[in-house]
Amino acid sequence: IYTMFVAIHSNVPLKKDSITDFKNWFNESNSEISKNDGFVSRRLLESEDGTYTVIAEWDSKEQFDKLHSSETHGKMHEQARGFMERDPDGPKFFNSIAGSS
């Protein structure tokens, strides 16, 4: 059975005037993040009520943690904060245990 580690940030509090810039930054930062071992996918979702959610999928929690302790991630996180009204609530973590792709 293939399992995957998933991190979800719900209700990302984007500033109204920086949504387009955040979307562009998100796509650019995916190029950098995708170079890391264990990276599966990272998506930005927009709900019908205009709230944003980020879903990141990794082969393992260890590979996710390795990126998040890196200097590269620290720089990207600081850039992302510039687009937000405040820090988002902490992510929720999951282990995917069944499904298809």
Side-chain angles (χ1 to χ4, degrees):
I1 295 175
Y2 176 74
T3 61
M4 187 175 2
F5 180 74
V6 181
I8 300 177
H9 271 284
S10 297
N11 299 317
V12 177
L14 297 177
K15 297 174 188 173
K16 298 293 183 210
D17 63 345
S18 58
I19 292 170
T20 299
D21 291 336
F22 180 78
K23 290 176 184 178
N24 291 333
W25 170 85
F26 191 88
N27 286 326
E28 291 169 13
S29 64
N30 270 350
S31 296
E32 188 64 34
I33 290 172
S34 67
K35 296 175 186 175
N36 289 270
D37 288 340
F39 173 81
V40 175
S41 71
R42 182 169 167 253
R43 294 179 183 86
L44 176 63
L45 308 177
E46 181 180 15
S47 71
E48 290 180 345
D49 68 3
T51 58
Y52 296 88
T53 297
V54 174
I55 299 175
E57 299 173 313
W58 291 81
D59 284 335
S60 71
K61 182 178 186 321
E62 292 76 23
Q63 290 164 319
F64 172 85
D65 288 342
K66 184 176 178 182
L67 170 70
H68 281 73
S69 64
S70 72
E71 184 178 324
T72 298
H73 179 267
K75 289 178 183 177
M76 287 189 300
H77 190 71
E78 283 303 313
Q79 290 171 338
R81 281 185 175 152
F83 301 110
M84 298 179 195
E85 294 175 352
R86 59 174 172 73
D87 282 343
D89 297 336
K92 290 190 177 184
F93 300 111
F94 303 86
N95 288 306
S96 173
I97 57 172
S100 65
S101 57

